[in-house]
């Protein structure tokens, strides 16, 4: 069980999975997974086979209202707040966001939650 604010975790996932779908052309794939970390924490991954980003694009996408210019943004509007808000909400849960991406090869976002946010109990309180 993850000790977290359910509404925030839901919004993080909506933002990240929504972006993955939005920037993956037809015929591509989006995979969401999770696994325990050796430190006792937990990682959730959102991986896509989409258009990908450069390091400069990642920096811009993490900036509030920053939008990466590419062929997909011409047809998909947005505020440029999804990724910065997801990162901020994750950090409020003592977590961190890792981004691995390359143009034409897709993106993998990893949400890392520390062991203090993981409970083995059957009923975890938020």
């Amino acid at each position: 069980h993850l000790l977290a604010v359910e509404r925030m975790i839901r919004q993080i996932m909506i933002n990240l999975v929504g972006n993955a779908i939005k920037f993956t052309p037809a015929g591509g794939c989006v995979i969401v997974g999770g696994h325990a970390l050796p430190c006792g924490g937990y990682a959730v991954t959102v991986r896509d086979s989409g258009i990908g980003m450069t390091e400069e694009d990642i920096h811009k996408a993490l900036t509030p209202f920053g939008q990466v210019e590419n062929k997909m943004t011409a047809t998909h509007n947005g505020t440029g707040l999804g990724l910065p808000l997801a990162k901020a909400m994750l950090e409020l849960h003592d977590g961190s966001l890792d981004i691995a991406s390359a143009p034409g090869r897709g993106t993998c976002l990893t949400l890392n939650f520390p062991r203090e946010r993981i409970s083995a109990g059957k009923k975890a309180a938020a």
Side-chain angles (χ1 to χ4, degrees):
H1 291 92
L2 177 62
L3 303 173
V5 178
E6 182 179 345
R7 180 182 285 179
M8 284 188 183
I9 301 303
R10 181 179 291 121
Q11 190 62 56
I12 291 169
M13 295 306 296
I14 288 169
N15 291 357
L16 299 185
V17 173
N19 278 351
I21 292 168
K22 185 189 323 186
F23 295 111
T24 298
C29 67
V30 175
I31 300 168
V32 178
H35 61 275
L37 298 171
C39 65
Y42 197 79
V44 176
T45 58
V46 178
R47 180 183 306 270
D48 67 59
S49 62
I51 60 173
M53 298 182 283
T54 64
E55 285 295 322
E56 182 179 318
D57 291 341
I58 292 170
H59 178 72
K60 187 173 186 179
L62 286 169
T63 303
F65 303 106
Q67 293 183 314
V68 177
E69 300 293 327
N70 59 50
K71 63 183 177 184
M72 299 294 280
T73 58
T75 57
H76 294 90
N77 294 325
T79 61
L81 290 174
L83 201 53
L85 283 175
K87 182 177 183 288
M89 287 186 280
L90 182 60
E91 289 170 350
L92 286 172
H93 289 85
D94 307 312
S96 63
L97 178 65
D98 295 330
I99 303 174
S101 189
R105 301 192 71 179
T107 300
C108 181
L109 300 135
T110 304
L111 294 79
N112 298 294
F113 293 95
R115 76 168 171 228
E116 295 79 24
R117 288 285 177 175
I118 308 304
S119 170
K122 291 186 178 185
K123 289 194 176 191

